Amino acid sequence: HLPHGLIFAGPPGIGKATTARALAALYLCPNAKGVTPCGKCDSCRLMGADNHPDFAVIYRQLVRQLPNKEDHKARDLAIDVIREFLVRPASLKPSLGHGKVFVAEEAELMNAAAQNSLLKTLEEPFGRTLIILLSDQPESLLPTIRSRTQTVRFHALDAALVDRELHNRGIDPATARLA
């Protein structure tokens, strides 16, 4: 069983967004086998084309798509963005009928009002909804947000492991050391 709210916490560039996208593909695939999406259904094709109607990435620059917000500096993840691009669509039925996934990038940039607007949706999501908050500073999130989600911590891999895996995949040793 997967909780309906997750926090992916770890340093920038560690793979939080990549993992969130992979989890979304698996979550939205109606024909998934174990931990692998089928890769053939409409959902998998739409995820591959970056055009799935039930998958949304929420980021602070979306504020510029709201009426009368064109000149906004997008310093934080504003309450209007959370309401318009996450809370409101989360209350609607999924287009393909198998669920919805929302990934909020830089979740630590949500101000208190934005986080509070998300509480009801995190607590009682409509239907089969998964909300993933990506953060390199999860302690900046309100305790009420953290208590309604499960935190998954991401850490850098050991250099020897990375070197060995790259070698096993046919990468030349010099390139593997650089990586």
Side-chain angles (χ1 to χ4, degrees):
H1 293 295
L2 190 62
H4 54 268
L6 294 165
I7 296 173
F8 284 3
I14 201 85
K16 298 181 302 284
T18 302
T19 304
R21 179 173 284 284
L23 181 57
L26 179 64
Y27 189 80
L28 295 172
C29 176
N31 307 316
K33 302 287 188 233
V35 295
T36 308
C38 75
K40 298 175 184 170
C41 67
D42 287 343
S43 180
C44 288
R45 282 194 293 277
L46 288 166
M47 280 299 289
D50 237 357
N51 197 25
H52 200 295
D54 297 322
F55 175 73
V57 177
I58 314 304
Y59 51 97
R60 57 192 164 107
Q61 292 84 357
L62 285 172
V63 73
R64 296 184 184 127
Q65 293 182 21
L66 297 171
N68 304 319
K69 301 284 184 175
E70 301 84 18
D71 61 341
H72 195 280
K73 300 287 187 229
R75 285 182 290 270
D76 60 5
L77 193 47
I79 187 172
D80 294 339
V81 170
I82 295 300
R83 284 181 177 158
E84 182 65 24
F85 296 101
L86 198 158
V87 173
R88 189 187 60 72
S91 68
L92 304 173
K93 286 185 174 183
S95 296
L96 298 184
H98 200 66
K100 288 184 169 231
V101 178
F102 298 89
V103 176
E105 295 180 341
E106 299 179 301
E108 71 275 0
L109 296 181
M110 283 189 287
N111 58 33
Q115 291 183 56
N116 284 322
S117 74
L118 183 57
L119 286 176
K120 177 95 170 133
T121 305
L122 273 174
E123 199 169 85
E124 300 172 9
F126 176 80
R128 192 169 182 268
T129 300
L130 176 62
I131 299 169
I132 305 171
L133 306 176
L134 308 181
S135 178
D136 61 354
Q137 299 171 29
E139 64 282 351
S140 298
L141 296 169
L142 294 175
T144 50
I145 293 287
R146 294 192 314 262
S147 70
R148 287 166 175 79
T149 55
Q150 182 175 331
T151 300
V152 178
R153 299 223 175 256
F154 286 67
H155 302 282
L157 297 173
D158 181 63
L161 172 65
V162 173
D163 186 54
R164 185 172 58 248
E165 285 299 315
L166 291 174
H167 175 73
N168 291 344
R169 295 173 189 200
I171 306 298
D172 69 270
T175 304
R177 276 190 301 282
L178 284 174

